[in-house]
Amino acid sequence: QVAVEESGGGSVQAGGSLRLSCAASDDTFSSNCMAWFRQVPGQEREAVAAIHKRDGTVYYSDSVKGRFTISLDSPKTPLNVYLEMNSLKPEDTALYSCVADYRPRCLSDIAAQGDKGLIGRWGQGTQVTVSS
């Protein structure tokens, strides 16, 4: 059973929209946050958005705030977490990965230090390409 699996990536023109989905299985039941990260080859992985499963508190990076929305369809596994991406820019082009984060202070840890020290289950990622 795959613990975390993303879908929904693709190619879009600048200004367009995409919706990414991430299915998290029961294997991730004890995780506290679900988050989206992205990575461009040769660069560090960047936290994009995160959501706390129990209280719904969210985090967005400054680069996507106001354009991207993260949501859950359930606080309990199995669940789906979505990333609605609007007003896409070429600089949003990256491999987007979903992660189930088990740390007790996952949201603040992601906001402060990204994936440094992250304890979680990662998906394989889905490519998003935005053309100008």
Side-chain angles (χ1 to χ4, degrees):
Q1 185 179 18
V2 176
V4 176
E5 188 170 21
E6 307 92 338
S7 61
S11 298
V12 65
Q13 288 193 326
S17 299
L18 279 175
R19 188 193 199 205
L20 304 184
S21 299
C22 171
S25 73
D26 282 333
D27 286 351
T28 65
F29 77 94
S30 60
S31 62
N32 293 303
C33 288
M34 297 297 300
W36 287 96
F37 283 75
R38 66 186 182 187
Q39 189 169 25
V40 175
Q43 296 183 19
E44 290 190 356
R45 189 158 49 191
E46 173 193 12
V48 175
I51 186 166
H52 199 285
K53 287 164 60 179
R54 283 195 298 277
D55 62 18
T57 307
V58 298
Y59 159 81
Y60 295 102
S61 69
D62 288 342
S63 61
V64 306
K65 200 172 294 182
R67 300 188 297 122
F68 290 13
T69 303
I70 188 170
S71 61
L72 287 172
D73 66 351
S74 171
K76 298 181 179 181
T77 56
L79 59 82
N80 292 288
V81 56
Y82 305 103
L83 187 68
E84 189 75 38
M85 306 186 295
N86 298 313
S87 302
L88 283 162
K89 305 175 182 180
E91 51 264 45
D92 294 318
T93 296
L95 182 70
Y96 284 71
S97 298
C98 179
V99 61
D101 191 333
Y102 291 80
R103 294 174 295 179
R105 300 177 59 184
C106 47
L107 210 64
S108 57
D109 286 344
I110 288 171
Q113 58 196 42
D115 63 351
K116 302 296 186 293
L118 194 150
I119 302 171
R121 302 287 296 271
W122 291 89
Q124 292 296 310
T126 185
Q127 179 68 33
V128 172
T129 302
V130 184
S131 58
S132 57

